[in-house]
Amino acid sequence: MVGLIILGSTLFTNQPGIGQTITPSDVWQIVYQKLPDFPRENKYINKENGKVAENNTLATRLIRYHVYTKGRPPVYRLDWKLTLADYLGANEVMYDSSYPGNDTLRENPIEGDKAAIARLTRSQRNALVEVLVSIFNPNSQNTSAPRPNSTANPSTSTTPQPPQGGGAQLLK
């Protein structure tokens, strides 16, 4: 029994990222720390208590839309760019009924959020994507795509070769 406990604790302590796990509900604060000029859009009224929902921000809803509504992984730039394209009306249709905040706020924030994203410049949107990816994937090296192996084997020919005959005979 003691060996099992030691083994169990060793498994958890040696794994990277344990204790550093970030949940989507915590990320919005980090976004505003790194991008203080990112629009908050937190003027909406809570349905339950009638007060301004200050913690229900554009960043909160963007992250919830991306992760929970669309089910996109939060660690890839392309997926965040697809989400921003949704907000800009250039990708998938966004539905009022499933938009984050629709069920908790008196007014659905979808139109205001779309307008806020549309007001951002391309460089501001790119900075947002970089911040989001760096938060969810701290091991990312700020590379947009995997780089091909630059040390190609010089003996490998890149000239297309004609197909070898007799392949159909192997099917018999």
Side-chain angles (χ1 to χ4, degrees), residues 7-171:
L7 176 62
S9 66
T10 303
L11 286 173
F12 287 111
T13 57
N14 286 340
Q15 290 182 0
I18 300 294
Q20 297 174 359
T21 304
I22 281 198
T23 62
S25 60
D26 298 331
V27 173
W28 71 270
Q29 296 169 343
I30 301 168
V31 169
Y32 288 110
Q33 287 172 1
K34 294 186 176 199
L35 298 172
D37 294 334
F38 186 69
R40 288 196 175 260
E41 295 295 313
N42 60 345
K43 62 190 180 298
Y44 298 98
I45 307 297
N46 186 306
K47 279 182 183 179
E48 289 183 19
N49 63 19
K51 296 180 181 177
V52 174
E54 293 181 16
N55 290 341
N56 194 325
T57 64
L58 172 57
T60 305
R61 294 185 298 271
L62 173 77
I63 294 162
R64 286 177 55 205
Y65 173 79
H66 181 87
V67 174
Y68 299 119
T69 304
K70 297 308 292 181
R72 293 177 179 144
V75 295
Y76 300 114
R77 285 168 187 75
L78 177 61
D79 289 302
W80 284 109
K81 290 185 179 214
L82 289 173
T83 292
L84 290 177
D86 291 351
Y87 278 83
L88 297 172
N91 190 35
E92 294 184 15
V93 174
M94 296 176 74
Y95 296 101
D96 295 357
S97 59
S98 61
Y99 190 71
N102 179 49
D103 53 346
T104 58
L105 302 173
R106 285 187 184 167
E107 178 188 349
N108 191 332
I110 190 169
E111 293 306 321
D113 290 355
K114 285 180 177 181
I117 296 293
R119 285 191 298 270
L120 297 175
T121 64
R122 180 183 297 238
S123 61
Q124 289 172 316
R125 290 191 306 269
N126 285 337
L128 174 63
V129 167
E130 291 303 318
V131 164
L132 289 165
V133 170
S134 72
I135 293 168
F136 283 105
N137 187 9
N139 296 327
S140 71
Q141 299 295 318
N142 292 330
T143 56
S144 298
R147 295 181 183 170
N149 187 357
S150 59
T151 58
N153 186 352
S155 65
T156 304
S157 173
T158 57
T159 307
Q161 301 295 319
Q164 295 179 352
Q169 298 298 322
L170 297 173
L171 294 174

